[in-house]
Amino acid sequence: MSGPSQVPGQPGAQIRVASDVGGTFTDSIAYDTTAREFRVSKVPTTPDNRAVGTIEGLRAALTTLGRSGADVSYVGHGMTTATNAIIQRTGARVAFVTNEGFRDLLEIGRQNRPRLYDHRVVRTPPVAERADRYSVRGRMDERGQELTPLDEAGLKTIATRIAATDAEAVGVCFLHAYANPAHEMRAKEILEAHLGDRYVCASTELIREFREYERSSTTALNAYLIPVMDAYLGSLSELLVDPDGLGITADVPVMVMEASGGLMTLPSARRKPVHTVLSGPAGGVVSAAEISLRAGFPDIVTMDMGGTSTDISLIINGKPQVTTQADLEGMPIRVPVVDINAIGAGGGSIASIDDGGALRVGPRSAEAIPGPACYGRGGTLPTVTDANLVVGRLGAETALGGSMKLDRDAASAALDAEVAKPLSLSTTQAATGVLRVANANMERGIRVVSVQRGHDPRDFALVPFGGAGPLHAADVAESLGIPTVLVPPAPGILCAMGILMSDLRHDLVATNLMALAAVEEAQVWAALEPLRVQGETLLDADGVPTDARRVETFVDVRYIGQSFELSLPIAEGAGLEALAEAFHSAHAHKFGHADRDAPVEIVNLRVLAVGETPPLVLPEVEAGEQTVAADALVTQRDVFFEVDQSWHKTPVYRREHLRVGNEIAGPAVIDEVSSTTLLRPGDHSRVDELGNIIITIATTRSAEE
């Protein structure tokens, strides 16, 4: 189980499985590539050891498919382990080694402030305590020329000092190592020789890019995570092959979701866990983009509403937006990341009254344990899920994940105690208030990735997923003027499905400043060539067949004197004039202006090396004999709708019984194992050829109102 012998999804694979570990539920999918059918499962996340819940979920999906671990030929995995370790500060004790005079680099950071005029701002302390930060004499310049030799004797002394502590990992980051990593590599060699089995990582193994603070932060976080992730992924590997676990009998590829929306091998994930930070939602974005593009909706806003948070992303022309820098808890991470706006609004978000007497929802979450009050696991605080149950959007007969029954009385009691009585409201009013606040939070989150970046949300379709997304999508779409909602098949496990759709990916970067006016195109391509060769070498090591490879080239460009740059694709033979014009256009689109007379320079060279996964063929949905979805109707229940402030006797449908061409007019509820979809009065839906539920929103108002 050490890594792949083939790129995921190559011919010969039979049963491919994937799991995504969330804060409340662990979602799993088992896909039969021959029969082209899949089964899904949702089981409660097991916080004490998330690998246990992963195995339980995979086993449940395989059992439903009529298979076992012995039939598995590929395993994909996504999780929030790295993200949670940083947020909760549960990583390892880490030492940090840098150049003499730069011991406090992680503490000083940059001068930018999260709130310009707030003098009370307190910086997040670095993961390496000052006592665990060391400096050594030695220096390279920005061209990679040695200015001062590395003090190896001093480094050995540092190694002795680290060995006397209980630090489990060491991060090494030297100035200008991106231009010449010789000092870093020698430092790593010396430290490893003196520290036995402790982990040592160097910045240039992660990123060869300038900006020492961001590179240092990324390196320190990687070291902080290595022991945690190595233990977790090691435990998962053992349970996958253990006869009492999943019982996989063959040496199959195990791939891990990374933040860029691609996959990395298990050994890579254990060495470079910082690439998995913020990777949890990436699988959902990948699958939403692919499914929506097939359905004829290339421009979408994704709304992944799980138990703890809602993750929002903008997809243009079928491509997720990827940024090269993220920020978590005030600490920069310089790795490619799908551009996602995460907000504290999920099914488990807790409703409360603040000191000013206003109703708040989130960011505090009930998580998996104890969970919402209606779960019957000891939770007593009201959540968004409890509010949905009280107003009938969820029913007492609704079995979350296929088995979990809900307690409406417990939900009502929690809302009464914490919201209704303090605000002198009825239980129904309290529940609708909670839902209204949660929806407003998500609406603001969508505006951040759309309106604030120059995009009109009315030009996009909304694609909700996660366990709670389809319940709230119609309300959110109406408030933003979005006319169409697309609910994909099995929306509650879309992140797990995305892992089966994702490609193996290597992102390579090298800083190389070149003024466009002073270089020829051939020089640029000569500088890119080593990265292209490195990309091909990595794909060779992954066993990716030649016909399944794709290598793309990019350059980061800016006006000379600017602090930040834009990443643009570059095509051989197109000419540097075309590159300059593309930069001016991109700058005008993003910032509203461009100066075509200003000199332009290349800052970084980038190569994306991809091992392509064959398309995931979703099961065909049978065509219905009539537009009416009578065969899918299972019951009715009372649902309260704000549109007319009244209860409606609302039909409830089972999604697995819907057929292509079926139409449903709201009000209606559509239940399935992984999620529930709500249609309000006046909304109208149809099932397309791919099994998506396409909802036309009854009324839309201007997104500017």
Side-chain angles (χ1 to χ4, degrees):
M1 304 297 294
S2 59
S5 58
Q6 55 177 333
V7 67
Q10 287 301 303
Q14 292 182 359
I15 306 298
R16 299 166 61 201
V17 299
S19 61
D20 177 68
V21 183
T24 304
F25 284 101
T26 293
D27 305 328
S28 301
I29 181 172
Y31 177 68
D32 187 326
T33 60
T34 303
R36 294 182 177 178
E37 62 177 343
F38 67 86
R39 296 292 184 271
V40 304
S41 74
K42 290 179 79 74
V43 301
T45 294
T46 50
D48 291 340
N49 184 354
R50 287 175 168 83
V52 173
T54 297
I55 297 301
E56 291 177 359
L58 291 174
R59 187 188 297 114
L62 283 166
T63 300
T64 308
L65 193 62
R67 297 299 191 108
S68 68
D71 302 311
V72 171
S73 57
Y74 164 76
V75 178
H77 188 55
M79 69 283 176
T80 57
T81 303
T83 305
N84 290 341
I86 293 174
I87 293 173
Q88 298 169 7
R89 287 296 179 122
T90 55
R93 181 177 177 180
V94 58
F96 182 74
V97 180
T98 188
N99 299 91
E100 187 177 63
F102 288 81
R103 179 184 178 189
D104 293 319
L105 174 63
L106 289 172
E107 197 98 42
I108 296 169
R110 296 200 176 275
Q111 295 300 311
N112 54 310
R113 300 161 65 93
R115 294 178 297 278
L116 185 60
Y117 299 108
D118 187 353
H119 65 279
R120 296 169 298 179
V121 168
V122 178
R123 289 185 180 274
T124 303
V127 294
E129 300 282 350
R130 193 170 196 274
D132 290 322
R133 300 198 295 265
Y134 307 86
S135 61
V136 64
R137 186 172 177 79
R139 181 74 66 87
M140 296 284 185
D141 69 12
E142 75 281 1
R143 297 181 301 276
Q145 301 298 312
E146 185 177 76
L147 298 178
T148 305
L150 180 66
D151 181 3
E152 296 193 6
L155 197 59
K156 292 174 183 177
T157 300
I158 289 172
T160 301
R161 292 171 61 190
I162 294 174
T165 72
D166 60 356
E168 297 178 60
V170 184
V172 181
C173 185
F174 291 155
L175 267 66
H176 308 304
Y178 60 85
N180 183 348
H183 282 184
E184 273 196 2
M185 292 298 99
R186 179 57 182 153
K188 179 181 178 180
E189 182 180 341
I190 292 171
L191 290 168
E192 287 181 331
H194 285 74
L195 294 176
D197 57 357
R198 303 195 200 192
Y199 305 94
V200 181
C201 66
S203 76
T204 45
E205 296 175 306
L206 302 168
I207 177 175
R208 292 193 62 170
E209 188 174 350
F210 81 139
R211 294 195 175 97
E212 67 276 11
Y213 171 52
E214 287 78 6
R215 190 158 46 87
S216 296
S217 175
T218 303
T219 305
L221 287 170
N222 192 72
Y224 182 70
L225 294 171
I226 286 179
V228 174
M229 286 290 287
D230 189 62
Y232 169 72
L233 292 175
S235 173
L236 178 62
S237 296
E238 292 174 3
L239 287 173
L240 286 172
V241 299
D242 190 328
D244 295 326
L246 200 63
I248 293 177
T249 56
D251 186 16
V252 303
V254 179
M255 307 295 286
V256 176
M257 196 74 198
E258 60 175 303
S260 65
L263 298 170
M264 61 196 307
T265 65
L266 188 68
S268 291
R270 296 174 79 161
R271 294 192 312 271
K272 304 176 182 179
V274 73
H275 282 272
T276 71
V277 174
L278 301 172
S279 68
V285 174
V286 169
S287 53
E290 176 66 23
I291 290 171
S292 301
L293 186 62
R294 295 182 194 179
F297 294 90
D299 300 326
I300 63 171
V301 179
T302 67
M303 189 179 85
D304 177 6
M305 186 178 182
T308 305
S309 66
T310 296
D311 303 304
I312 300 163
S313 187
L314 198 72
I315 294 174
I316 300 174
N317 199 26
K319 293 186 178 298
Q321 307 300 293
V322 177
T323 181
T324 57
Q325 181 169 313
D327 185 280
L328 184 61
E329 296 294 293
M331 293 174 285
I333 303 172
R334 194 74 177 182
V335 297
V337 177
V338 172
D339 193 2
I340 291 172
N341 180 28
I343 61 173
S349 293
I350 295 171
S352 61
I353 309 300
D354 67 16
D355 293 339
L359 175 61
R360 296 179 62 87
V361 178
R364 200 160 52 112
S365 173
E367 299 186 327
I369 299 175
C374 63
Y375 283 10
R377 293 180 170 175
T380 58
L381 298 177
T383 66
V384 174
T385 298
D386 294 308
N388 275 312
L389 179 61
V390 165
V391 297
R393 294 181 171 199
L394 295 173
E397 75 281 3
T398 301
L400 294 188
S403 60
M404 183 183 291
K405 297 295 184 180
L406 303 180
D407 186 341
R408 190 178 189 279
D409 291 339
S412 297
L415 280 164
D416 281 342
E418 302 294 330
V419 179
K421 290 180 180 178
L423 296 179
S424 299
L425 300 173
S426 69
T427 308
T428 300
Q429 288 173 327
T432 55
V434 170
L435 298 178
R436 194 181 307 124
V437 172
N439 290 338
N441 290 340
M442 289 182 280
E443 178 188 339
R444 285 193 295 270
I446 291 175
R447 288 180 181 274
V448 169
V449 303
S450 58
V451 176
Q452 293 185 20
R453 299 180 186 178
H455 301 283
D456 189 337
R458 293 171 296 186
D459 297 332
F460 293 75
L462 180 64
V463 180
F465 51 98
L471 266 177
H472 294 257
D475 286 329
V476 173
E478 192 275 336
S479 68
L480 290 164
I482 297 175
T484 305
V485 172
L486 184 153
V487 184
I493 55 88
L494 212 65
C495 287
M497 184 182 293
I499 298 171
L500 295 184
M501 291 181 168
S502 298
D503 295 323
L504 186 147
R505 173 175 176 142
H506 295 284
D507 290 273
L508 307 172
V509 60
T511 293
N512 193 331
L513 275 73
M514 294 182 281
L516 289 192
V519 298
E520 301 291 334
E521 184 182 6
Q523 293 175 265
V524 177
W525 285 100
L528 276 165
E529 187 59 24
L531 290 179
R532 292 204 286 185
V533 170
Q534 184 183 355
E536 291 285 358
T537 301
L538 290 170
L539 294 177
D540 282 340
D542 293 331
V544 180
T546 304
D547 60 358
R549 300 182 183 187
R550 187 176 78 252
V551 176
E552 300 177 7
T553 49
F554 303 84
V555 289
D556 293 352
V557 186
R558 68 183 181 186
Y559 292 118
I560 293 178
Q562 278 188 311
S563 296
F564 296 95
E565 53 280 342
L566 297 176
S567 188
L568 300 170
I570 183 172
E572 198 162 5
L576 298 184
E577 296 81 4
L579 177 64
E581 180 55 36
F583 170 71
H584 294 312
S585 298
H587 198 280
H589 177 77
K590 185 163 187 175
F591 302 111
H593 66 93
D595 185 355
R596 285 175 166 76
D597 295 325
V600 175
E601 68 178 348
I602 292 173
V603 179
N604 297 314
L605 308 172
R606 296 184 184 275
V607 163
L608 171 61
V610 175
E612 294 180 334
T613 298
L616 184 70
V617 181
L618 296 175
E620 295 183 0
V621 179
E622 296 179 15
E625 297 181 358
Q626 54 186 355
T627 58
V628 179
D631 292 342
L633 180 63
V634 291
T635 188
Q636 288 187 330
R637 66 170 173 258
D638 291 328
V639 181
F640 184 85
F641 290 95
E642 276 197 279
V643 64
D644 57 4
Q645 292 293 303
S646 63
W647 293 86
H648 290 252
K649 187 68 70 174
T650 302
V652 179
Y653 298 85
R654 289 300 303 180
R655 183 165 186 178
E656 56 266 32
H657 299 315
L658 293 178
R659 299 292 177 257
V660 172
N662 281 172
E663 297 182 7
I664 297 175
V669 173
I670 304 172
D671 273 341
E672 57 185 302
V673 170
S674 67
S675 188
T676 297
T677 300
L678 179 75
L679 275 66
R680 306 163 311 153
D683 292 339
H684 184 273
S685 73
R686 61 178 175 85
V687 180
D688 73 1
E689 291 76 10
L690 301 173
N692 300 303
I693 299 174
I694 311 295
I695 303 173
T696 301
I697 300 302
T699 57
T700 57
R701 57 186 171 91
S702 168
E704 303 304 319
E705 293 179 353

